[in-house]
Amino acid sequence: MMEIMEPVELDPLDQALIQALMIDGRASFSHLAEVLEVSDQTVVRRYRKLRTTGLMRVVGLPLGSRVGLFESWLRVQCAPDAALAVAGALARRPDIAWVKLASGGTEIHCMTKARTRRERDGLLLDKLPSTRRVTGITAQTILRTFMGGPEAWSGLAVLRPGQIEAMTRPAAPGAPARPPSERYALDEAELAMLAVLGQDGRAGYPELARACGLSESTARRRLDRMRDLGAVYFDVETVPAMFGYQTEATLLITVPPARLAEAGAAIGGHPEVPFAAAVTGAANLFAVVVCRDTDALYTYLTERVGAVAGVQQVEVIPTLRNIKRAGMLVEDGRLVDPPPAP
């Protein structure tokens, strides 16, 4: 069975706050209050409730393609009695994200975010193959992301256009119109800041300064620079099932190379899709889909995906359970801090 949870009652203000943070995860409470047309105290109270109850977490993450992370999507086949334990071990690794159980509980899907080729190869060629009861591994490299990362998921659409514009962070004077294509080399101070931001994307500058050994003003400038140059972005982690999206699935779509960019942009633009990317392999377009129920998934597949030009074949893999999102574990439908890896 798929993961079934009672939806949480989120009123329009809660939803608007979450969408606003998806646009700018580090916006001040006073700016959020101004845009949402409520008091500062109301925004602080709503934010703290959402965060402490595990319904939402802002996290700061490096953009893999910009900082040189080795990102691959893994399908790990296991014996039925071993999949949950293997998934839990993978979820505790800091270089693994988006861990979920699929395909009758015998297959694990996850994303690698290794800092070096050696780290990635050690997992794929040594650690996983030698793990007891792992029966198969498939790795597909992420080539181009169409939705996800800095692109805010459009599944929540409660803000007015003017509010969206007001929440959009303006580019700094002199900043490039788009992040440059060359790699951004993170130094030790920036890595230390990211370790904090990966747990709390809204951590204050005093905490960031202590972590990296710099002054508060220098920590602020460093973070602003990483944001302006596209090396870091802020994501809002939620559990879609808690908001009424009870059906989640992975789509593996086969598209002719000449139509891949067009099809990827189309799929990535669907509000049902929080993540879509071009990947290596015969099925060269990968997408995560969230829907209200299986009937809505059927409608999405037949009416939306089926209408995308170039789509030749679609494999639908239902998600049975989410173990980890980008940085947080999922327990009883709530986001919790992962324990340190052994």
Side-chain angles (χ1 to χ4, degrees):
M1 293 180 61
M2 295 185 190
E3 197 172 13
I4 301 296
M5 301 169 189
E6 291 296 324
V8 172
E9 291 294 331
L10 290 179
D11 64 21
L13 180 56
D14 285 330
Q15 296 181 45
L17 176 57
I18 292 173
Q19 186 183 357
L21 289 168
M22 286 179 174
I23 299 170
D24 184 358
R26 285 193 64 87
S28 68
F29 286 125
S30 60
H31 183 56
L32 289 164
E34 180 183 358
V35 172
L36 299 180
E37 301 171 352
V38 296
S39 69
D40 292 16
Q41 294 85 353
T42 297
V43 168
V44 171
R45 186 173 63 251
R46 294 296 185 104
Y47 169 79
R48 288 177 176 169
K49 182 179 179 181
L50 289 168
R51 189 183 187 282
T52 57
T53 55
L55 296 179
M56 177 202 70
R57 182 77 65 95
V58 178
V59 290
L61 303 168
L63 185 61
S65 59
R66 182 77 171 89
V67 303
L69 297 182
F70 291 87
E71 295 182 311
S72 299
W73 178 62
L74 304 186
R75 300 177 71 176
V76 182
Q77 289 79 37
C78 301
D81 60 344
L84 195 56
V86 174
L90 287 168
R92 289 191 294 273
R93 293 178 60 106
D95 59 345
I96 296 291
W98 306 108
V99 182
K100 58 185 68 180
L101 288 180
S103 295
T106 61
E107 184 169 290
I108 303 164
H109 295 174
C110 62
M111 193 83 71
T112 69
K113 292 181 175 289
R115 288 179 57 188
T116 67
R117 189 184 302 273
R118 176 176 293 184
E119 288 179 1
R120 182 201 61 185
D121 292 350
L123 175 66
L124 297 181
L125 303 178
D126 181 29
K127 184 67 174 179
L128 279 174
S130 63
T131 300
R132 184 174 175 270
R133 310 289 278 169
V134 169
T135 59
I137 307 164
T138 303
Q140 293 177 264
T141 300
I142 305 295
L143 300 176
R144 177 69 55 85
T145 299
F146 299 107
M147 171 53 64
E151 298 293 331
W153 176 48
S154 60
L156 284 176
V158 293
L159 295 181
R160 301 187 300 272
Q163 291 175 307
I164 294 174
E165 182 180 0
M167 283 306 308
T168 302
R169 180 173 178 263
R178 60 193 318 177
S181 58
E182 67 269 15
R183 296 276 175 86
Y184 182 96
L186 295 166
D187 63 22
E188 291 303 317
E190 292 164 342
L191 289 169
M193 281 197 288
L194 283 171
V196 175
L197 294 170
Q199 299 298 311
D200 180 6
R202 293 183 62 82
Y205 291 106
E207 183 178 355
L208 294 177
R210 287 192 298 271
C212 66
L214 302 173
S215 68
E216 290 184 31
S217 59
T218 301
R220 182 190 295 269
R221 286 197 301 271
R222 286 288 194 95
L223 181 55
D224 287 343
R225 180 170 181 267
M226 286 192 289
R227 296 185 75 181
D228 292 336
L229 294 179
V232 65
Y233 67 96
F234 290 88
D235 195 9
V236 176
E237 290 201 301
T238 62
V239 180
M242 300 301 292
F243 306 141
Y245 293 97
Q246 297 288 353
T247 298
E248 182 175 331
T250 295
L251 304 187
L252 297 180
I253 304 170
T254 304
V255 181
R259 307 298 293 271
L260 183 55
E262 176 188 359
I267 295 292
H270 293 165
E272 297 88 351
V273 177
F275 183 82
V279 295
T280 57
N284 51 2
L285 181 56
F286 164 80
V288 175
V289 176
V290 292
C291 295
R292 294 289 178 183
D293 50 32
T294 53
D295 185 65
L297 176 60
Y298 173 82
T299 300
Y300 172 69
L301 291 171
T302 55
E303 298 183 5
R304 303 292 297 282
V305 178
V308 174
V311 170
Q312 295 179 328
Q313 185 174 339
V314 181
E315 179 183 1
V316 183
I317 309 172
T319 296
L320 302 183
R321 182 184 301 181
N322 282 292
I323 309 297
K324 184 181 183 182
R325 308 296 288 183
M328 302 290 112
L329 297 182
V330 181
E331 293 183 0
D332 297 325
R334 309 283 173 144
L335 299 167
V336 299
D337 294 308

